[in-house]
Amino acid sequence: YYAEDGFVELLGGVVPVLTGRAVPAGELDGAAAEEQLAAARTRVANTPDLMAQRDRAVTAARAQIRVARRAK
């Protein structure tokens, strides 16, 4: 699974996951994630907030790519 912006905790063999978005690895589109990464890298980031948004988008796209590749 790819989980975005969440919380994971290990409790005696049980792993609760709280997230707003979880996608099974097999449903991720690696090509779409590569496109998202390219788009994120070209975002204008001339303020601290825009830099943070760009960095989050790059991190999310990289994570999706990584999970999609492992699912193959």
Side-chain angles (χ1 to χ4, degrees), residues 21-65:
R21 180 175 178 227
V23 180
E27 292 181 16
L28 285 172
D29 183 345
E34 292 278 359
E35 290 174 12
Q36 291 172 0
L37 177 59
R41 286 181 170 159
T42 62
R43 283 186 181 182
V44 174
N46 54 9
T47 69
D49 286 340
L50 291 175
M51 284 186 243
Q53 289 175 15
R54 180 200 56 208
D55 292 347
R56 281 192 300 272
V58 166
T59 299
R62 285 180 177 160
Q64 289 178 42
I65 293 165

